[in-house]
């Protein structure tokens, strides 16, 4: 019998969510994104295009699509980015087609983009967008984490620290803000938000027919 009476969220088709998680680099966002993708089969990652060089260990097509400035400009001209922005002196953009595809197949899409990207996606897709900002517990802890990664020079780290304060100042452009002082707890909060957002009435696309038949006594 249980199979015939699933929870309401499973009974109705729902609109896919554009799930944005932003934070200064080093605040733990990529660990949380990885754990979320492992735990949530209906969620897929949006792979951005960037003009910056790959870091050691980064894989083209998986971490980013690494493209030339000319290629990036072509994609912009063809209107094939959902959004794009200048970040750290490079360009970053979200390819449109994979997002449209995922949403049309009823899956949610996870975005690791900055506040400029969050703002642009919100302007375009409003009610389908959920925006989370993750704070580091303190600036000294953020710097410690950046140094522990051992991927960036002192100069790059200083640049990231300077930029972190700027990014944090856009916290009020987000629906949820979390502090990552414990990665497991923070991950659990992010997952809870995703689950609750999936249950929102506005995302259930077949409710009216169901309610009508309930009222008729069906
Ligand atoms: P990183 O170079 O450390 O991978 O990323 C630098 C910043 O660019 C991060 O804050 C990341 O969220 C942001 N970013 C990555 N991809 C995109 C994108 O497609 N659009 C926007 N607006 N920001 C992005």
């Amino acid at each position: 019998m249980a199979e015939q009476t699933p929870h309401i969220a499973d009974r109705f088709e729902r609109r896919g969510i554009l799930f944005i998680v932003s934070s200064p680099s080093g605040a733990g966002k990529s660990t949380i994104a990885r754990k979320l993708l492992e735990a949530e089969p209906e969620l897929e990652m949006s792979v951005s295009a960037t003009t910056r060089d790959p870091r050691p260990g980064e894989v083209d097509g998986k971490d980013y699509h690494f493209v030339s400035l000319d290629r990036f400009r072509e994609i912009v001209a063809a209107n094939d980015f959902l959004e794009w922005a200048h970040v750290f002196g490079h360009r970053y953009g979200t390819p449109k087609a994979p997002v449209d595809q995922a949403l049309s197949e009823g899956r949610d899409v996870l975005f690791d983009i900055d506040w400029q990207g969050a703002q642009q996606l919100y302007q375009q897709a409003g009610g389908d967008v959920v925006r989370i900002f993750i704070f580091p517990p303190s600036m000294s802890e953020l710097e410690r984490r950046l140094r522990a990664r051992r991927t960036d020079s002192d100069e790059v780290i200083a640049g990231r620290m300077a930029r972190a304060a700027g990014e944090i100042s856009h916290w009020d452009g987000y629906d949820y803000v979390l502090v990552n002082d414990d990665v497991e707890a923070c991950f659990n909060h992010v997952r809870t938000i995703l689950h609750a957002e999936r249950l929102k009435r506005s995302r259930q696309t077949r409710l009216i027919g169901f309610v009508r038949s309930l009222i008729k006594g069906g």
Side-chain angles (χ1 to χ4, degrees):
M1 263 331 254
E3 268 177 28
Q4 286 165 6
T5 53
H7 191 273
I8 196 164
D10 304 324
R11 292 179 68 131
F12 304 105
E13 284 172 19
R14 63 173 179 83
R15 301 173 67 82
I17 298 172
L18 287 78
F19 200 66
I20 302 174
V21 181
S22 302
S23 75
S25 29
K29 162 186 59 176
S30 22
T31 309
I32 287 167
R34 183 177 43 74
K35 286 167 74 70
L36 204 58
L37 290 164
E38 279 166 17
E40 297 290 337
E42 278 181 29
L43 183 70
E44 71 175 58
M45 187 81 204
S46 163
V47 179
S48 296
T50 181
T51 57
R52 81 153 163 78
D53 291 333
R55 296 199 194 107
E58 284 185 329
V59 177
D60 187 31
K62 183 169 170 279
D63 298 291
Y64 282 105
H65 301 288
F66 295 99
V67 299
S68 66
L69 185 54
D70 282 349
R71 177 70 193 124
F72 196 97
R73 287 189 171 131
E74 277 170 21
I75 305 173
V76 172
N79 200 22
D80 285 341
F81 281 134
L82 263 183
E83 63 76 36
W84 71 273
H86 291 273
V87 186
F88 291 129
H90 298 288
R91 289 167 207 218
Y92 293 78
T94 301
K96 210 182 258 179
V99 177
D100 288 346
Q101 170 92 19
L103 293 178
S104 72
E105 289 168 6
R107 279 172 289 134
D108 304 315
V109 185
L110 176 63
F111 298 86
D112 169 352
I113 58 179
D114 78 340
W115 66 272
Q116 305 173 82
Q119 198 175 60
Q120 291 177 60
L121 285 197
Y122 186 72
Q123 276 166 7
Q124 291 180 52
D128 293 334
V129 172
V130 175
R131 298 159 297 175
I132 302 179
F133 192 88
I134 298 179
F135 292 122
S138 67
M139 292 313 250
S140 53
E141 174 60 16
L142 183 69
E143 185 163 356
R144 196 195 63 72
R145 289 180 190 172
L146 285 176
R147 292 196 180 282
R149 296 206 302 206
R150 295 180 186 280
T151 50
D152 296 328
S153 64
D154 282 358
E155 197 189 340
V156 171
I157 289 176
R160 288 186 187 280
M161 288 303 295
R163 202 183 143 82
E167 286 176 42
I168 288 169
S169 71
H170 294 282
W171 64 277
D172 61 346
Y174 289 78
D175 305 303
Y176 300 89
V177 292
L178 301 170
V179 179
N180 183 13
D181 44 15
D182 176 301
V183 75
E184 198 60 34
C186 191
F187 160 68
N188 284 326
H189 286 315
V190 172
R191 200 170 177 203
T192 301
I193 293 166
L194 176 64
H195 290 177
E197 289 284 347
R198 282 176 174 165
L199 293 171
K200 267 197 166 167
R201 177 176 56 77
S202 57
R203 303 217 154 84
Q204 317 293 325
T205 50
R206 294 242 188 118
L207 270 181
I208 292 177
F210 173 70
V211 173
R212 279 190 187 137
S213 76
L214 267 188
I215 291 170
K216 274 198 262 161

